PDB file of all heavy atoms in Angstrom:
ATOM      1  N   LEU A 305       0.461  -4.147  -5.469  1.00 98.00           N
ATOM      2  CA  LEU A 305       1.648  -3.393  -5.483  1.00 98.00           C
ATOM      3  C   LEU A 305       1.471  -2.174  -6.429  1.00 98.00           C
ATOM      4  O   LEU A 305       1.885  -2.213  -7.588  1.00 98.00           O
ATOM      5  CB  LEU A 305       2.866  -4.266  -5.937  1.00 98.00           C
ATOM      6  CG  LEU A 305       3.099  -5.540  -5.148  1.00 98.00           C
ATOM      7  CD1 LEU A 305       4.200  -6.372  -5.787  1.00 98.00           C
ATOM      8  CD2 LEU A 305       3.451  -5.181  -3.642  1.00 98.00           C
ATOM      9  N   VAL A 344     -16.833  18.204  -1.162  1.00 98.00           N
ATOM     10  CA  VAL A 344     -16.260  16.928  -0.826  1.00 98.00           C
ATOM     11  C   VAL A 344     -16.686  16.690   0.662  1.00 98.00           C
ATOM     12  O   VAL A 344     -16.329  17.447   1.540  1.00 98.00           O
ATOM     13  CB  VAL A 344     -14.754  16.861  -0.963  1.00 98.00           C
ATOM     14  CG1 VAL A 344     -14.230  15.495  -0.589  1.00 98.00           C
ATOM     15  CG2 VAL A 344     -14.250  17.230  -2.301  1.00 98.00           C
ATOM     16  N   PRO A 376       4.613  14.757 -10.782  1.00 96.00           N
ATOM     17  CA  PRO A 376       5.885  15.154 -10.255  1.00 96.00           C
ATOM     18  C   PRO A 376       5.665  15.464  -8.712  1.00 96.00           C
ATOM     19  O   PRO A 376       4.892  16.307  -8.514  1.00 96.00           O
ATOM     20  CB  PRO A 376       6.374  16.272 -11.084  1.00 96.00           C
ATOM     21  CG  PRO A 376       5.612  16.197 -12.365  1.00 96.00           C
ATOM     22  CD  PRO A 376       4.292  15.550 -11.943  1.00 96.00           C
ATOM     23  N   ILE A 377       6.468  14.887  -7.902  1.00 96.00           N
ATOM     24  CA  ILE A 377       6.216  15.061  -6.442  1.00 96.00           C
ATOM     25  C   ILE A 377       6.476  16.608  -6.134  1.00 96.00           C
ATOM     26  O   ILE A 377       5.710  17.152  -5.252  1.00 96.00           O
ATOM     27  CB  ILE A 377       7.241  14.220  -5.627  1.00 96.00           C
ATOM     28  CG1 ILE A 377       6.884  12.731  -5.850  1.00 96.00           C
ATOM     29  CG2 ILE A 377       7.192  14.621  -4.172  1.00 96.00           C
ATOM     30  CD1 ILE A 377       5.559  12.314  -5.419  1.00 96.00           C
ATOM     31  N   ALA A 386      -1.500  26.946  -4.698  1.00 97.00           N
ATOM     32  CA  ALA A 386      -2.297  27.772  -5.595  1.00 97.00           C
ATOM     33  C   ALA A 386      -3.793  27.750  -5.309  1.00 97.00           C
ATOM     34  O   ALA A 386      -4.457  28.782  -5.370  1.00 97.00           O
ATOM     35  CB  ALA A 386      -1.978  27.307  -7.026  1.00 97.00           C
ATOM     36  N   GLY A 429     -24.003  23.214 -10.814  1.00 95.00           N
ATOM     37  CA  GLY A 429     -23.736  24.188 -11.871  1.00 95.00           C
ATOM     38  C   GLY A 429     -24.952  24.614 -12.589  1.00 95.00           C
ATOM     39  O   GLY A 429     -26.115  24.069 -12.372  1.00 95.00           O
ATOM     40  N   LYS A 456     -27.369  -1.875 -12.905  1.00 52.00           N
ATOM     41  CA  LYS A 456     -27.580  -2.928 -13.791  1.00 52.00           C
ATOM     42  C   LYS A 456     -26.472  -3.964 -13.679  1.00 52.00           C
ATOM     43  O   LYS A 456     -25.295  -3.654 -13.361  1.00 52.00           O
ATOM     44  CB  LYS A 456     -27.586  -2.488 -15.193  1.00 52.00           C
ATOM     45  CG  LYS A 456     -28.744  -1.447 -15.556  1.00 52.00           C
ATOM     46  CD  LYS A 456     -28.654  -1.016 -16.975  1.00 52.00           C
ATOM     47  CE  LYS A 456     -29.801  -0.037 -17.338  1.00 52.00           C
ATOM     48  NZ  LYS A 456     -29.744   0.404 -18.705  1.00 52.00           N
ATOM     49  N   GLY A 526      16.316  15.607   8.482  1.00 97.00           N
ATOM     50  CA  GLY A 526      15.375  16.679   8.852  1.00 97.00           C
ATOM     51  C   GLY A 526      14.201  16.175   9.648  1.00 97.00           C
ATOM     52  O   GLY A 526      14.254  15.115  10.170  1.00 97.00           O
ATOM     53  N   LYS A 544      25.934   5.936   9.747  1.00 96.00           N
ATOM     54  CA  LYS A 544      26.770   5.129  10.626  1.00 96.00           C
ATOM     55  C   LYS A 544      27.093   3.831  10.087  1.00 96.00           C
ATOM     56  O   LYS A 544      28.199   3.273  10.210  1.00 96.00           O
ATOM     57  CB  LYS A 544      26.011   4.960  11.971  1.00 96.00           C
ATOM     58  CG  LYS A 544      25.963   6.237  12.795  1.00 96.00           C
ATOM     59  CD  LYS A 544      25.147   5.938  14.100  1.00 96.00           C
ATOM     60  CE  LYS A 544      24.962   7.215  14.986  1.00 96.00           C
ATOM     61  NZ  LYS A 544      24.181   6.960  16.149  1.00 96.00           N
ATOM     62  N   VAL A 567      29.052  -7.282   7.181  1.00 90.00           N
ATOM     63  CA  VAL A 567      27.844  -7.070   7.977  1.00 90.00           C
ATOM     64  C   VAL A 567      27.745  -8.171   9.086  1.00 90.00           C
ATOM     65  O   VAL A 567      27.702  -9.344   8.729  1.00 90.00           O
ATOM     66  CB  VAL A 567      26.567  -7.043   7.110  1.00 90.00           C
ATOM     67  CG1 VAL A 567      25.273  -6.891   7.933  1.00 90.00           C
ATOM     68  CG2 VAL A 567      26.706  -5.995   6.033  1.00 90.00           C
ATOM     69  N   ILE A 635       0.145 -13.465  -2.174  1.00 98.00           N
ATOM     70  CA  ILE A 635      -0.159 -13.770  -0.784  1.00 98.00           C
ATOM     71  C   ILE A 635      -0.996 -12.643  -0.219  1.00 98.00           C
ATOM     72  O   ILE A 635      -2.031 -12.772   0.477  1.00 98.00           O
ATOM     73  CB  ILE A 635       1.049 -13.942   0.095  1.00 98.00           C
ATOM     74  CG1 ILE A 635       1.791 -15.250  -0.291  1.00 98.00           C
ATOM     75  CG2 ILE A 635       0.774 -14.026   1.591  1.00 98.00           C
ATOM     76  CD1 ILE A 635       1.003 -16.508  -0.093  1.00 98.00           C
ATOM     77  N   GLY A 657       0.610  -6.517   9.445  1.00 98.00           N
ATOM     78  CA  GLY A 657       0.527  -7.947   9.442  1.00 98.00           C
ATOM     79  C   GLY A 657       0.530  -8.641   8.104  1.00 98.00           C
ATOM     80  O   GLY A 657       1.225  -9.555   7.853  1.00 98.00           O
ATOM     81  N   ALA A 663       6.005 -10.439   2.739  1.00 98.00           N
ATOM     82  CA  ALA A 663       7.473 -10.413   2.660  1.00 98.00           C
ATOM     83  C   ALA A 663       8.073 -11.746   3.001  1.00 98.00           C
ATOM     84  O   ALA A 663       8.987 -12.292   2.451  1.00 98.00           O
ATOM     85  CB  ALA A 663       8.009  -9.320   3.517  1.00 98.00           C
ATOM     86  N   GLU A 707       7.860   2.905  12.829  1.00 98.00           N
ATOM     87  CA  GLU A 707       8.642   1.851  13.563  1.00 98.00           C
ATOM     88  C   GLU A 707       8.018   0.399  13.345  1.00 98.00           C
ATOM     89  O   GLU A 707       8.777  -0.553  13.273  1.00 98.00           O
ATOM     90  CB  GLU A 707       8.649   2.136  15.057  1.00 98.00           C
ATOM     91  CG  GLU A 707       9.660   3.293  15.420  1.00 98.00           C
ATOM     92  CD  GLU A 707       9.657   3.499  16.919  1.00 98.00           C
ATOM     93  OE1 GLU A 707       8.934   2.811  17.650  1.00 98.00           O
ATOM     94  OE2 GLU A 707      10.503   4.375  17.347  1.00 98.00           O
ATOM     95  N   ILE A 717      11.456 -11.891   8.148  1.00 98.00           N
ATOM     96  CA  ILE A 717      12.738 -12.629   7.945  1.00 98.00           C
ATOM     97  C   ILE A 717      12.720 -13.827   8.862  1.00 98.00           C
ATOM     98  O   ILE A 717      13.129 -15.013   8.537  1.00 98.00           O
ATOM     99  CB  ILE A 717      13.973 -11.752   8.199  1.00 98.00           C
ATOM    100  CG1 ILE A 717      13.978 -10.663   7.052  1.00 98.00           C
ATOM    101  CG2 ILE A 717      15.207 -12.599   8.095  1.00 98.00           C
ATOM    102  CD1 ILE A 717      15.026  -9.561   7.310  1.00 98.00           C
ATOM    103  N   THR A 741      -9.050 -16.117  10.927  1.00 98.00           N
ATOM    104  CA  THR A 741      -8.972 -15.617  12.306  1.00 98.00           C
ATOM    105  C   THR A 741      -8.687 -14.081  12.311  1.00 98.00           C
ATOM    106  O   THR A 741      -9.258 -13.345  13.081  1.00 98.00           O
ATOM    107  CB  THR A 741      -7.821 -16.297  13.057  1.00 98.00           C
ATOM    108  OG1 THR A 741      -8.112 -17.725  13.029  1.00 98.00           O
ATOM    109  CG2 THR A 741      -7.700 -15.829  14.453  1.00 98.00           C
TER     110      THR A 741
END
Side-chain angles (χ1 to χ4, degrees):
L305 304 172
V344 183
I377 296 300
K456 296 180 181 179
K544 288 179 183 178
V567 180
I635 291 298
E707 287 182 356
I717 296 171
T741 302

